[in-house]
């Protein structure tokens, strides 16, 4: 059985992980990020 302190620590760790996931997802769907990735992909084909 977990103690309340252990449960709180797990919740905080989960919140931190979710925050990172949301930030990564937001960057992935950001139009300027998409354009930058596409530009880099095209540049890579011509090198």
């Amino acid at each position: 059985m977990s103690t309340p302190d252990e449960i709180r620590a797990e919740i905080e760790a989960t919140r931190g992980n979710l925050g990172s996931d949301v930030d990564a997802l937001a960057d992935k769907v950001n139009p300027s990020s998409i354009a930058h990735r596409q530009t880099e992909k095209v540049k890579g084909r011509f090198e």
Side-chain angles (χ1 to χ4, degrees), residues 1 3 6 9 14 19 22 25 27-28 31-32 34 39-40 42:
M1 186 98 182
T3 68
E6 290 171 334
T14 300
V22 168
L25 182 58
D27 184 58
K28 191 169 193 166
S32 65
I34 292 168
T39 301
E40 292 302 311
V42 169

Side-chain angles (χ1 to χ4, degrees), residues 3-47:
T3 68
D5 287 337
E6 290 171 334
I7 293 170
R8 281 188 199 97
E10 275 186 47
I11 291 169
E12 288 304 314
T14 300
R15 281 185 183 150
N17 291 339
L18 285 173
S20 297
D21 291 347
V22 168
D23 289 343
L25 182 58
D27 184 58
K28 191 169 193 166
V29 298
N30 180 327
S32 65
S33 294
I34 292 168
H36 178 73
R37 283 195 304 273
Q38 293 302 321
T39 301
E40 292 302 311
K41 205 182 290 186
V42 169
K43 282 182 185 177
R45 290 183 186 151
F46 291 103
E47 290 180 348

